[in-house]
Amino acid sequence: MFMMSLLVVELGPLVRGQPQVPCYFIFGDSIFDNGNNNGLLTMAKVNFPPYGIDFPDGPTGRFTNGRNMADIIAEKLGFKNYIPPFATASPQEVLTGVNYGSGGAGIRNETGKHLGGRISLNEQLLHHQVIISRIALLLGSKDLAREHLSKCIYTIGMGNNDYINNYLMPQFYPTSHLYTPQQYAAVLIHQYFKQIKTLYNQGARKVALFGIGLIGCIPAEVTMYGTNGSACVDWINNYVQLFNDKLVSLVDELNNDLTDAKFIYINSTGISSGDPSAIGLTVANAPCCDVSTNYGKGQCIPQRVPCSDRSTYVFWDAFHPTEIVNVVSATRAYSALSPTDAYPFDIRGLAQLSL
Ligand SMILES: *[C@@H]1O[C@H](CO)[C@@H](O)[C@H](O)[C@H]1NC(C)=O
Ligand SMILES: *[C@@H]1O[C@H](CO)[C@@H](O)[C@H](O)[C@H]1NC(C)=O
Ligand SMILES: *[C@@H]1O[C@H](CO)[C@@H](O)[C@H](O)[C@H]1NC(C)=O
C-alpha cells in the first residue's frame, strides 16, 4: 500500500503532464535569444528566412534553423510551451518563466556595441526585476512571488560575446590592450559574480551557468584568424579556458557561500569536444547557409536556400550551431552523458533538488 502510494506520488506530475519545476528563466546571448532582438536596431537579429526553416513558427529571432538550447531544456523540464521572450511575453504567461536572451550581448555593457542594439546581462537583470513585480501582482504578494521564484530553474549562458564581439575585435574595443587574457578572464568573472549575486538576491536558488563554448572553432573566427594547420584557432580556445576554469571555481565559491541555493556549471567545451562525425555530423568546417561578408557579417544571407542535409552540419551560420547540435548539447546539459558534462551535477539534478 505504502509502495503504491509512493508510486502514485512519483508519477503524479508526469501523469498530469506538469513540468518538473513551475518556472524556467533564461539569461543569455544569441545561443538562447528567441526574439528579443527583433525590435532592436542591430545587425544581431535574424527574424528572416532561412533562419527558422525547421521551426514550426518559421523565423522567430532564434539564431539557428530550428529549436535553440532554451527550447530543448524547456521540453526536457516538461513545459508544454516554449518560454516566451521578454519582448513579447504577455503579462499572464510570465509565471512559467521568461527568456531575456539577446544576440550580441555580454557580461560587459559595451560588448556587441558595434553591432547596434543588444540587451546586456545588466539590462536583462533589470528586465527580470520588472517581471518579478508582475509576478508579485499576479500571486498577490511579494512573499508568494519569492516562494515561487525560489523553485524555478535559471540558466545563464554569457561570455561568448565578451570574447567574440569585444576582446577579439581590437579595432572596436580596447580590452585586449588593457588586459592580458588571464586578467580579462578575471575581470569578466568578477563582474559575472556580482551579476549572479544580483540574481540570487532577486530570489534565484537553482542556477545553471553555461561555460563559454569552443569559439576558436567557429567558422567566423577560423576565417578571421586562421588556424595554422589546426582544426581550430587554438589560442582563442585557450583564452576561453581561462574563463571557464575560473567559472568552475566560482561555482564552488557560490555553493560554499550561498548554502540555500545551488549553482552548477555546464561544461560546454567538454560537451562539444570529440569527433562530431561519431554522431553523423560530417561537416564541421563550414556553415550550412551562405553567410554574408558585409552587413550582418557571418549571418545567413536573407532568403537564400540553405544546405538540405542540415543534420550533418555542426554550424548553421558562421557563429551558431545547427538545431541538431543544440539538441545534443542541451540534452547533455539536462541529463549528463559523461560525468564531466555538468559540475557538480546536471540540470535534471537541479530540478529534483528540494532546497
Ligand atoms: C551598465 O549598464 C547598467 C544597466 O543599464 C547601468 O546601470 C550601469 O551603470 C552600466 N555600467 C557601466 C560601467 O557603464
Ligand atoms: C604555427 O605552428 C607551428 C608548428 O606547430 C608553430 O611552430 C608556430 O609557432 C605556429 N605559429 C603561430 C603563429 O602560432
Ligand atoms: C570538461 O570536459 C573536459 C573534457 O571532457 C574535461 O577534461 C574537463 O575536466 C571538464 N571540466 C569539468 C569542470 O568537469
Side-chain angles (χ1 to χ4, degrees):
M1 204 49 217
F2 175 73
M3 290 276 288
M4 271 185 64
S5 60
L6 198 70
L7 200 68
V8 170
V9 169
E10 293 218 324
L11 287 178
L14 290 175
V15 169
R16 286 196 307 274
Q18 292 289 326
Q20 295 168 39
V21 287
C23 32
Y24 173 29
F25 289 94
I26 299 135
F27 297 81
D29 52 31
S30 56
I31 299 292
F32 294 90
D33 189 350
N34 63 346
N36 289 306
N37 279 16
N38 293 352
L40 302 182
L41 192 61
T42 178
M43 287 186 265
K45 65 175 174 183
V46 294
N47 52 341
F48 53 81
Y51 289 93
I53 186 169
D54 299 312
F55 195 75
D57 300 334
T60 54
R62 287 167 171 81
F63 288 71
T64 185
N65 54 308
R67 293 163 294 167
N68 67 19
M69 286 214 284
D71 297 325
I72 294 145
I73 292 168
E75 282 176 14
K76 298 278 174 199
L77 288 170
F79 289 94
K80 282 198 205 73
N81 299 310
Y82 297 130
I83 304 300
F86 174 78
T88 56
S90 75
Q92 291 75 32
E93 62 185 349
V94 301
L95 276 182
T96 49
V98 172
N99 184 334
Y100 305 100
S102 168
I107 292 168
R108 292 173 69 87
N109 285 2
E110 84 275 11
T111 288
K113 189 175 180 179
H114 74 285
L115 298 167
R118 74 264 167 246
I119 306 156
S120 66
L121 182 51
N122 282 330
E123 285 175 300
Q124 293 183 25
L125 290 164
L126 292 176
H127 288 171
H128 188 47
Q129 197 57 47
V130 173
I131 295 297
I132 290 174
S133 306
R134 214 175 268 172
I135 288 174
L137 275 178
L138 285 169
L139 296 180
S141 81
K142 279 186 180 168
D143 282 348
L144 288 174
R146 193 153 268 275
E147 169 79 18
H148 181 75
L149 290 165
S150 72
K151 294 179 186 147
C152 315
I153 291 282
Y154 298 77
T155 60
I156 319 183
M158 272 287 175
N160 295 290
N161 288 309
D162 294 291
Y163 287 89
I164 297 171
N165 287 307
N166 189 326
Y167 198 74
L168 297 172
M169 290 205 158
Q171 68 275 40
F172 295 120
Y173 305 89
T175 45
S176 61
H177 304 300
L178 295 172
Y179 307 112
T180 64
Q182 184 68 249
Q183 288 169 336
Y184 189 61
V187 164
L188 285 179
I189 288 290
H190 180 69
Q191 188 164 355
Y192 204 22
F193 164 71
K194 290 198 279 187
Q195 292 159 331
I196 294 163
K197 196 74 187 289
T198 298
L199 184 62
Y200 170 83
N201 290 333
Q202 289 173 323
R205 293 295 178 269
K206 297 181 170 194
V207 185
L209 303 167
F210 279 74
I212 302 182
L214 290 170
I215 58 181
C217 303
I218 66 177
E221 299 303 328
V222 167
T223 304
M224 181 151 39
Y225 286 106
T227 61
N228 191 23
S230 173
C232 303
V233 190
D234 296 326
W235 58 267
I236 295 183
N237 288 340
N238 295 338
Y239 288 6
V240 164
Q241 199 54 48
L242 297 170
F243 175 92
N244 285 342
D245 288 345
K246 289 186 193 300
L247 186 53
V248 175
S249 307
L250 179 62
V251 162
D252 282 333
E253 201 182 311
L254 290 165
N255 284 327
N256 283 330
D257 294 351
L258 308 173
T259 50
D260 61 344
K262 201 74 192 179
F263 299 85
I264 64 169
Y265 168 75
I266 303 300
N267 193 348
S268 308
T269 54
I271 287 172
S272 57
S273 46
D275 180 7
S277 68
I279 51 168
L281 297 163
T282 49
V283 190
N285 61 355
C288 165
C289 69
D290 288 338
V291 300
S292 168
T293 52
N294 43 44
Y295 187 85
K297 192 173 172 183
Q299 291 180 176
C300 301
I301 298 172
Q303 317 300 333
R304 273 290 169 88
V305 176
C307 72
S308 54
D309 45 350
R310 292 185 283 282
S311 60
T312 64
Y313 277 72
V314 172
F315 294 102
W316 164 244
D317 61 14
F319 298 101
H320 305 103
T322 49
E323 175 181 41
I324 181 97
V325 171
N326 289 334
V327 169
V328 171
S329 304
T331 301
R332 290 177 66 166
Y334 174 75
S335 169
L337 184 63
S338 145
T340 58
D341 285 354
Y343 172 84
F345 48 76
D346 54 26
I347 293 174
R348 182 168 58 179
L350 200 57
Q352 286 166 353
L353 215 60
S354 51
L355 290 167

